Amino acid sequence: MLQSIQKPYLLNKKTLNWREKLHEVIYEADTPAGKLFDIVLLFAILASIILVMLESVEDFDNKHHDFLYISEWIITIFFSIEYILRIISIKKPTKYIFSFYGIIDLLSTIPMYLTFFFVGTHSSLIALRALRLLRVFRILKVSRYIGESNQLIKALNASKAKIGVFLYFVLIICIILGSVMYFIEGADNGFTSIPRSIYWSIVTLTTVGYGDIAPQTALGQFIASITVIIGYAIIAIPTGIVSSEMTKKEVHLNTQSCSNCSYSGHKDDAEFCYHCGTKLN
Amino acid sequence: MLQSIQKPYLLNKKTLNWREKLHEVIYEADTPAGKLFDIVLLFAILASIILVMLESVEDFDNKHHDFLYISEWIITIFFSIEYILRIISIKKPTKYIFSFYGIIDLLSTIPMYLTFFFVGTHSSLIALRALRLLRVFRILKVSRYIGESNQLIKALNASKAKIGVFLYFVLIICIILGSVMYFIEGADNGFTSIPRSIYWSIVTLTTVGYGDIAPQTALGQFIASITVIIGYAIIAIPTGIVSSEMTKKEVHLNTQSCSNCSYSGHKDDAEFCYHCGTKLN
Amino acid sequence: MLQSIQKPYLLNKKTLNWREKLHEVIYEADTPAGKLFDIVLLFAILASIILVMLESVEDFDNKHHDFLYISEWIITIFFSIEYILRIISIKKPTKYIFSFYGIIDLLSTIPMYLTFFFVGTHSSLIALRALRLLRVFRILKVSRYIGESNQLIKALNASKAKIGVFLYFVLIICIILGSVMYFIEGADNGFTSIPRSIYWSIVTLTTVGYGDIAPQTALGQFIASITVIIGYAIIAIPTGIVSSEMTKKEVHLNTQSCSNCSYSGHKDDAEFCYHCGTKLN
Amino acid sequence: MLQSIQKPYLLNKKTLNWREKLHEVIYEADTPAGKLFDIVLLFAILASIILVMLESVEDFDNKHHDFLYISEWIITIFFSIEYILRIISIKKPTKYIFSFYGIIDLLSTIPMYLTFFFVGTHSSLIALRALRLLRVFRILKVSRYIGESNQLIKALNASKAKIGVFLYFVLIICIILGSVMYFIEGADNGFTSIPRSIYWSIVTLTTVGYGDIAPQTALGQFIASITVIIGYAIIAIPTGIVSSEMTKKEVHLNTQSCSNCSYSGHKDDAEFCYHCGTKLN
């Protein structure tokens, strides 16, 4: 019987084979060994990101090149072992390999091995740099450890369509505005092409305002002023969308109505009518 | 009888004359042909916008001038045919011609023909460029295919008056602030005239902050700091307006009106009128 | 009897003396003459503001100095007549003279007369410019004609205390941050004094970001990044304050409970219980 | 008996010893002497902050060095006396000394004394400047007098976890974006290292936009445009979090719990438990 098999599984962990033990350590976090594994991994990821950053700072790379190179290899080998263990310990390896985190985990180790094989050819230096940068995506592995993000993602998902329509309107305004400013200001004032003018209008309407391109003519400044004020007013829209979506979440009232007294506005998890006590269907 | 005429109309589409068939394809999207037409049109619009943009990039225009010129003519002729078909297939052509989209559709084709006639005269080059840019407004034709935008536009319409008053106050603050800064900073620090100072105060209050004009004197920086903090606090107002407008739907007041006193705005679970105490149905 | 005096006053306007007629035209807007007066005044104010602006544009002033000078005198005399008529037609002139709009109205005319008397002395040119600029405050006279602004001002008033506390915290963060950056970056990177560093931190935290002063050292950029992200998160606070204040206004439900069935959540203007129909006290 | 001891304490203040009197003046604000003490302290703090600021303005410091030096000593001695009195008058001095305000109060006085001892050594000038700047933290002492800040802090505390997750996502986006832009733009366009690129992406995504680093290539500007628009949409999230946290008070769920199943979160007008149908009291 299934019950008689599972019970010893829960009571006596020593009877688990090494594969099941590994799975528990790597994929779960409710045993001390599992927690330790997660924390070690977290620090390895963060150390790895910091290494990629330091490598890009020329002065630091020149002085400590060997240290960075050796550290990077240690972390790469560590991630490789983790990747192999994950494949071994799971029952359906293909499910893990082609999952989002499976691909991220693979991409975390491959670039370093590739740089090893191509190290002889000098001409591929730039391609190498790109490969190395892929290691930055290891930061995504951290997300595995964040449980509270679900609510945020839900709220975003719920308001996805409205935000999409909003962004479409912003884009239309930016394209028209960019074209108008390209004509008014012209190449002499930095608006050298329509795509560049649209870049300016996006940077302006979102209130970033670098200042690398700025209107110089009186008419251009007048139009920019109006744009900016419009942008100031419409920045309220996405906020309103998400706000109303999030306050809606807090009010767990549905539109179901009681079959006995026809009262509505019950909580989502209500089983009985709050007015007459009749069982809800 | 009307009923006996309409039924075959619905059942047997082959009895429709070519005009009615065209109308269905062009104006509706519930037949395969209608959907295909809409998708083709959508891609033509986007291709057209990309062409206008590429044309404005000087390097690209120099290399691929012929390609751009021919593509533009193909799209223009396509839009012309669409425009003519729309006029032919509708029962009241004037209603379409003078509608918003009718005017946009006409403006999408005319500029190219005008450039054809004026191509000989060199002096009208700038006017030509302006005409060509009108084609960018074709992007507005895309809006036809967005159904979900209604809710956004409703929320904006409902808070139109409040946002108007808000923008008026922002404008008053900007005019007064601009004048004060013109006096404090003066022409030497870039505040060459009051309109230009107002342009600066708008760019600052909306937190865009290009930095092409920035206060240089201690007093000017002090006033700018205060302004910016005020702007930071009042940016909340339009957001509050739209948010409250969007969450208002959540408030459980329905539009039912009392049969006795005709008061409306009752709570969803109200059984008696809040004004006269009559039982609501 | 009072009643017998007032009735003919309302029915037969011809019996009003010229003072009462004037009062109706100037202070009220429910007669055709009153509306016309308001519209003429509105255009005079806007024309006056545009004149002040154009005067500050050097090129325009050089070309059309006489036109600007004469126009300004016409408008000043018009405003002077309006001011005198307002004093004459009201029963308690002192009440108007010392009211907000009374002072604004006086300040709208005086500067021009003062420039007339001091025109001989060349050394007082700068003081003259300041006086002339006072005319910009005429824009405040427009507010008289905006009825819908009450709700906005009420919402602002209601959240005044909270926004004050919020601004105090922002200021404390800015002072401490400015001092820290003054020490880290120093005078060589543009942070020449603590007040200037505080100016930078205000401009940064409010996401204006001119770029006239920007951190140059790695540590400074690191601290600026953290600041900016904090600022990005706390910009939500004033918005939340005003939003919740404004949504509160829309929900006209009070906490009064029915004496018969003790249901609460009645609308503010409810006279009868929405649940049992009992008269509310 | 306790009661007979306390009553004369409340009625006859003259029987208090000098320690209890001091405690009342320093720690409480309900006697005229206590209020006066608080106001004097407030002005001393503000004066002290302005002194630190003025000291950092080189021109002012050169002219009025002696005035600044003497004023600073007067204020330091005043704060020292306050610190000693606070220790003497409290029953458990260690509780005050190691409290947040106790440490701030100590740090407010120490730097000046340290500059006195190290005044001979020229090489420690920079360390001195740092010590002096610590006095800016005196501004935190003002918070003691703000009672209304509790609600704001509560709302922030309640949405702490969500804002934390939000900031983590922003950081991940910034790290990945910074790395991508470092590869696309490269050192020639100002993106000299990944940390610097991340600094740029933070400044951009938060819509600050200094403009000290700005994308120069077409591809970089295209990615920057997309980033900025995403940032424009997600700025709504923290606002939504705080707004919903602040409006939650409006939601009509009370904390009453069912006597049968102990479920809580019932609607204000609920008569029966929504979970088990038991009549609520």
Side-chain angles (χ1 to χ4, degrees):
Chain A
M1 274 136 261
L2 204 88
Q3 218 179 4
S4 60
I5 295 165
Q6 274 189 331
K7 256 193 181 152
Y9 171 91
L10 286 166
L11 292 168
N12 186 355
K13 293 216 166 172
K14 291 212 171 129
T15 61
L16 293 169
N17 63 35
W18 61 271
R19 247 197 179 176
E20 286 164 337
K21 270 187 237 166
L22 247 176
H23 186 272
E24 222 179 56
V25 170
I26 292 174
Y27 285 95
E28 282 158 48
D30 48 4
T31 55
K35 260 181 199 161
L36 187 74
F37 178 81
D38 281 1
I39 289 163
V40 169
L41 202 60
L42 206 64
F43 276 95
I45 294 164
L46 293 178
S48 154
I49 299 301
I50 291 164
L51 279 179
V52 179
M53 285 185 193
L54 287 178
E55 214 170 306
S56 79
V57 183
E58 221 169 297
D59 285 358
F60 194 91
D61 191 36
N62 290 342
K63 278 190 201 156
H64 308 279
H65 187 75
D66 291 345
F67 166 73
L68 288 174
Y69 191 73
I70 293 163
S71 310
E72 190 51 60
W73 269 113
I74 292 170
I75 284 176
T76 301
I77 289 163
F78 177 79
F79 282 143
S80 305
I81 293 169
E82 184 223 342
Y83 185 66
I84 292 162
L85 290 181
R86 274 187 194 273
I87 292 175
I88 290 172
S89 67
I90 206 165
K91 279 181 188 165
K92 291 179 186 165
T94 50
K95 207 184 157 189
Y96 163 69
I97 290 167
F98 297 107
S99 73
F100 177 69
Y101 284 123
I103 290 158
I104 291 291
D105 287 352
L106 184 66
L107 286 175
S108 302
T109 54
I110 278 190
M112 204 62 196
Y113 293 111
L114 288 178
T115 62
F116 187 72
F117 291 120
F118 294 105
V119 84
T121 43
H122 260 287
S123 61
S124 60
L125 259 174
I126 297 157
L128 272 179
R129 229 176 80 205
L131 282 174
R132 276 190 184 163
L133 285 172
L134 280 179
R135 286 174 288 143
V136 167
F137 286 92
R138 281 176 193 158
I139 193 79
L140 288 175
K141 294 175 74 168
V142 180
S143 306
R144 210 179 253 147
Y145 307 107
I146 294 176
E148 303 201 44
S149 57
N150 289 332
Q151 208 177 346
L152 268 178
I153 290 165
K154 265 185 202 167
L156 268 187
N157 260 327
S159 39
K160 206 167 48 185
K162 276 182 206 157
I163 284 179
V165 174
F166 166 72
L167 288 184
Y168 165 74
F169 276 112
V170 167
L171 218 68
I172 280 197
I173 293 172
C174 286
I175 287 173
I176 290 173
L177 185 75
S179 306
V180 169
M181 288 300 277
Y182 166 69
F183 179 64
I184 290 170
E185 291 280 330
D188 297 339
N189 294 325
F191 295 75
T192 48
S193 68
I194 292 184
R196 202 172 148 83
S197 295
I198 291 171
Y199 161 72
W200 169 84
S201 65
I202 290 175
V203 165
T204 296
L205 205 79
T206 54
T207 77
V208 172
Y210 284 129
D212 53 346
I213 319 167
Q216 303 297 325
T217 64
L219 183 59
Q221 291 181 344
F222 179 70
I223 290 173
S225 298
I226 290 170
T227 313
V228 151
I229 283 200
I230 292 171
Y232 192 53
I234 63 170
I235 203 173
I237 299 176
T239 310
I241 294 169
V242 177
S243 285
S244 75
E245 205 58 49
M246 286 203 134
T247 30
K248 211 164 33 179
K249 284 276 143 57
E250 311 294 335
V251 193
H252 304 282
L253 303 181
N254 58 30
T255 55
Q256 193 184 4
S257 87
C258 174
S259 58
N260 182 37
C261 67
S262 76
Y263 264 56
S264 61
H266 299 286
K267 284 181 72 179
D268 267 359
D269 53 352
E271 291 165 32
F272 291 90
C273 174
Y274 68 88
H275 179 244
C276 66
T278 308
K279 180 105 183 134
L280 296 171
N281 310 311
Chain B
M1 273 140 264
L2 205 88
Q3 216 179 5
S4 61
I5 295 165
Q6 273 189 331
K7 257 196 179 149
Y9 170 91
L10 285 166
L11 291 169
N12 188 353
K13 293 216 165 175
K14 292 213 171 130
T15 61
L16 292 170
N17 63 35
W18 62 271
R19 246 199 180 178
E20 285 164 338
K21 270 188 236 165
L22 245 177
H23 187 272
E24 222 178 56
V25 170
I26 292 174
Y27 285 94
E28 282 158 47
D30 47 6
T31 54
K35 260 182 198 160
L36 186 74
F37 177 82
D38 281 1
I39 288 163
V40 169
L41 201 60
L42 205 64
F43 276 95
I45 293 164
L46 293 178
S48 155
I49 298 301
I50 290 164
L51 279 179
V52 179
M53 285 187 194
L54 288 178
E55 214 170 306
S56 78
V57 183
E58 219 168 298
D59 286 358
F60 193 92
D61 191 36
N62 290 342
K63 278 190 201 155
H64 309 277
H65 186 76
D66 290 345
F67 165 74
L68 289 173
Y69 191 74
I70 293 163
S71 310
E72 189 53 58
W73 269 113
I74 292 169
I75 285 177
T76 301
I77 290 163
F78 176 81
F79 282 142
S80 306
I81 294 168
E82 183 223 344
Y83 185 66
I84 292 162
L85 289 181
R86 275 187 193 274
I87 292 176
I88 291 173
S89 67
I90 207 165
K91 279 179 188 166
K92 291 179 186 166
T94 51
K95 206 184 157 189
Y96 163 70
I97 290 167
F98 296 106
S99 72
F100 177 70
Y101 286 123
I103 290 158
I104 290 292
D105 287 352
L106 184 65
L107 286 176
S108 302
T109 54
I110 278 189
M112 203 63 196
Y113 294 111
L114 287 179
T115 61
F116 186 72
F117 292 119
F118 294 104
V119 83
T121 42
H122 261 286
S123 61
S124 60
L125 259 173
I126 296 158
L128 271 179
R129 230 176 77 204
L131 282 174
R132 274 191 185 162
L133 284 173
L134 280 178
R135 285 175 288 145
V136 167
F137 286 91
R138 280 177 193 158
I139 193 78
L140 289 174
K141 295 175 74 167
V142 180
S143 307
R144 210 178 254 148
Y145 306 107
I146 294 176
E148 302 202 43
S149 58
N150 289 331
Q151 208 177 345
L152 267 178
I153 289 164
K154 265 185 201 168
L156 267 187
N157 259 328
S159 39
K160 205 167 49 184
K162 278 182 205 159
I163 283 179
V165 174
F166 166 74
L167 288 184
Y168 165 74
F169 276 112
V170 167
L171 218 66
I172 279 196
I173 293 172
C174 286
I175 287 172
I176 289 173
L177 185 75
S179 306
V180 169
M181 289 299 277
Y182 166 68
F183 179 64
I184 290 171
E185 292 279 332
D188 297 337
N189 294 325
F191 295 77
T192 48
S193 67
I194 292 185
R196 201 171 149 85
S197 295
I198 291 171
Y199 161 70
W200 169 85
S201 65
I202 290 175
V203 165
T204 296
L205 205 79
T206 53
T207 77
V208 172
Y210 285 129
D212 53 347
I213 318 169
Q216 303 297 325
T217 64
L219 183 59
Q221 290 180 344
F222 179 70
I223 290 173
S225 298
I226 290 169
T227 313
V228 151
I229 282 198
I230 291 170
Y232 192 54
I234 62 172
I235 202 174
I237 299 175
T239 310
I241 293 167
V242 177
S243 285
S244 76
E245 205 57 52
M246 286 201 136
T247 37
K248 203 154 60 171
K249 286 160 223 147
E250 312 297 332
V251 180
H252 303 285
L253 299 181
N254 59 30
T255 55
Q256 194 185 5
S257 88
C258 174
S259 58
N260 182 36
C261 68
S262 76
Y263 264 57
S264 60
H266 299 287
K267 280 181 74 181
D268 267 0
D269 53 350
E271 291 165 30
F272 292 90
C273 174
Y274 67 86
H275 180 245
C276 66
T278 308
K279 179 102 182 139
L280 295 171
N281 311 311
Chain C
M1 273 139 267
L2 206 88
Q3 217 178 4
S4 61
I5 296 165
Q6 276 188 330
K7 256 192 179 152
Y9 170 91
L10 286 166
L11 291 169
N12 189 353
K13 293 215 168 176
K14 290 211 172 132
T15 61
L16 293 170
N17 64 35
W18 62 271
R19 247 199 179 177
E20 287 165 336
K21 271 188 234 165
L22 246 178
H23 186 274
E24 224 180 56
V25 169
I26 292 175
Y27 286 94
E28 281 157 48
D30 48 4
T31 55
K35 261 181 199 159
L36 187 72
F37 178 82
D38 282 0
I39 288 162
V40 169
L41 201 59
L42 205 64
F43 275 96
I45 294 165
L46 292 178
S48 155
I49 299 300
I50 290 163
L51 279 179
V52 179
M53 285 186 194
L54 288 177
E55 213 171 305
S56 78
V57 183
E58 219 168 298
D59 285 358
F60 194 91
D61 191 36
N62 290 341
K63 278 189 200 155
H64 308 277
H65 186 77
D66 290 345
F67 166 72
L68 288 174
Y69 190 73
I70 293 163
S71 309
E72 189 55 56
W73 269 113
I74 292 170
I75 284 176
T76 300
I77 289 164
F78 177 79
F79 282 143
S80 306
I81 294 168
E82 183 222 345
Y83 185 66
I84 292 162
L85 290 180
R86 274 187 193 273
I87 292 174
I88 291 172
S89 66
I90 208 164
K91 280 180 188 166
K92 294 180 186 164
T94 51
K95 207 185 156 189
Y96 163 69
I97 290 167
F98 297 106
S99 72
F100 177 71
Y101 286 123
I103 291 159
I104 291 291
D105 286 354
L106 185 65
L107 286 176
S108 302
T109 53
I110 278 190
M112 203 62 196
Y113 293 112
L114 287 179
T115 62
F116 187 72
F117 291 118
F118 293 105
V119 84
T121 42
H122 261 287
S123 62
S124 60
L125 259 173
I126 297 158
L128 271 178
R129 228 176 81 204
L131 282 173
R132 275 192 185 160
L133 284 173
L134 279 179
R135 285 174 290 144
V136 167
F137 286 90
R138 281 177 193 158
I139 192 79
L140 288 174
K141 295 174 74 168
V142 179
S143 308
R144 208 178 255 149
Y145 306 106
I146 295 177
E148 302 202 44
S149 58
N150 290 330
Q151 208 177 345
L152 267 179
I153 289 165
K154 265 186 201 169
L156 267 188
N157 260 326
S159 40
K160 205 167 50 184
K162 277 183 206 158
I163 284 178
V165 174
F166 166 73
L167 287 185
Y168 165 74
F169 277 112
V170 167
L171 219 66
I172 280 198
I173 292 172
C174 287
I175 287 173
I176 290 173
L177 186 75
S179 306
V180 169
M181 289 300 277
Y182 167 68
F183 179 64
I184 289 170
E185 292 280 331
D188 298 339
N189 295 325
F191 295 77
T192 48
S193 68
I194 292 184
R196 203 173 147 83
S197 295
I198 291 170
Y199 161 71
W200 169 84
S201 64
I202 290 174
V203 165
T204 296
L205 205 79
T206 54
T207 76
V208 171
Y210 284 129
D212 54 347
I213 319 169
Q216 303 297 325
T217 64
L219 184 59
Q221 292 181 342
F222 179 70
I223 290 172
S225 298
I226 289 169
T227 314
V228 150
I229 282 198
I230 291 170
Y232 192 53
I234 62 172
I235 204 174
I237 299 176
T239 311
I241 294 167
V242 178
S243 284
S244 75
E245 205 59 50
M246 286 202 134
T247 30
K248 212 164 34 179
K249 285 273 144 56
E250 309 294 336
V251 192
H252 304 282
L253 302 181
N254 58 30
T255 55
Q256 193 184 3
S257 85
C258 175
S259 59
N260 183 38
C261 68
S262 76
Y263 265 56
S264 61
H266 299 286
K267 284 181 73 179
D268 266 359
D269 53 351
E271 289 164 33
F272 292 89
C273 174
Y274 68 87
H275 178 245
C276 66
T278 308
K279 179 108 181 129
L280 295 171
N281 310 311
Chain D
M1 274 136 262
L2 208 88
Q3 219 178 3
S4 60
I5 295 164
Q6 276 189 330
K7 257 190 179 154
Y9 171 91
L10 286 167
L11 291 168
N12 187 354
K13 293 216 167 174
K14 291 212 171 132
T15 61
L16 292 170
N17 63 36
W18 61 272
R19 246 199 179 175
E20 286 164 336
K21 271 185 237 165
L22 246 178
H23 186 273
E24 225 179 56
V25 170
I26 292 174
Y27 285 94
E28 282 157 47
D30 48 5
T31 56
K35 259 181 199 160
L36 187 72
F37 178 83
D38 281 1
I39 288 162
V40 170
L41 202 61
L42 206 64
F43 276 95
I45 293 165
L46 292 178
S48 154
I49 298 300
I50 290 163
L51 279 179
V52 179
M53 284 185 194
L54 288 177
E55 214 171 306
S56 78
V57 183
E58 220 169 297
D59 285 357
F60 194 90
D61 191 35
N62 290 341
K63 277 188 202 157
H64 308 278
H65 187 75
D66 290 344
F67 165 73
L68 289 173
Y69 191 73
I70 292 162
S71 311
E72 188 54 57
W73 268 113
I74 291 169
I75 284 177
T76 301
I77 288 163
F78 177 79
F79 281 143
S80 306
I81 293 169
E82 183 223 344
Y83 185 67
I84 292 161
L85 289 181
R86 273 187 194 273
I87 291 175
I88 289 173
S89 66
I90 207 166
K91 280 180 187 166
K92 292 179 186 166
T94 51
K95 207 184 157 189
Y96 164 68
I97 290 168
F98 296 106
S99 72
F100 177 70
Y101 285 124
I103 290 159
I104 291 291
D105 287 352
L106 184 66
L107 285 175
S108 301
T109 54
I110 278 190
M112 204 61 196
Y113 293 111
L114 287 179
T115 61
F116 187 71
F117 291 120
F118 294 106
V119 83
T121 43
H122 261 287
S123 61
S124 60
L125 259 174
I126 298 157
L128 272 178
R129 228 176 80 205
L131 282 174
R132 275 190 185 163
L133 285 173
L134 280 178
R135 286 175 287 145
V136 167
F137 286 91
R138 281 178 194 156
I139 192 79
L140 288 174
K141 296 175 73 170
V142 180
S143 308
R144 210 178 255 151
Y145 307 107
I146 294 176
E148 302 202 44
S149 58
N150 289 331
Q151 207 177 345
L152 266 180
I153 290 165
K154 264 186 202 169
L156 266 189
N157 260 326
S159 40
K160 206 167 48 184
K162 276 182 205 157
I163 284 178
V165 174
F166 166 73
L167 287 185
Y168 165 74
F169 276 112
V170 167
L171 218 67
I172 280 197
I173 292 171
C174 286
I175 287 173
I176 289 173
L177 185 75
S179 306
V180 169
M181 289 299 277
Y182 167 68
F183 179 64
I184 290 169
E185 291 280 331
D188 298 338
N189 295 325
F191 295 76
T192 49
S193 68
I194 292 183
R196 203 172 148 82
S197 295
I198 291 170
Y199 161 72
W200 169 85
S201 64
I202 290 174
V203 165
T204 297
L205 205 78
T206 53
T207 76
V208 172
Y210 284 129
D212 53 346
I213 319 167
Q216 303 298 324
T217 64
L219 183 59
Q221 291 181 344
F222 179 70
I223 289 172
S225 298
I226 290 170
T227 313
V228 151
I229 282 200
I230 291 170
Y232 192 53
I234 64 172
I235 203 173
I237 299 176
T239 311
I241 294 169
V242 178
S243 286
S244 76
E245 205 58 50
M246 288 200 134
T247 38
K248 203 154 60 172
K249 288 159 224 149
E250 313 296 331
V251 180
H252 303 286
L253 299 182
N254 58 31
T255 55
Q256 193 184 5
S257 86
C258 175
S259 58
N260 182 38
C261 68
S262 76
Y263 265 57
S264 63
H266 299 285
K267 281 181 72 178
D268 267 0
D269 53 351
E271 290 166 30
F272 293 89
C273 174
Y274 66 86
H275 179 245
C276 65
T278 308
K279 179 101 181 140
L280 294 171
N281 311 310

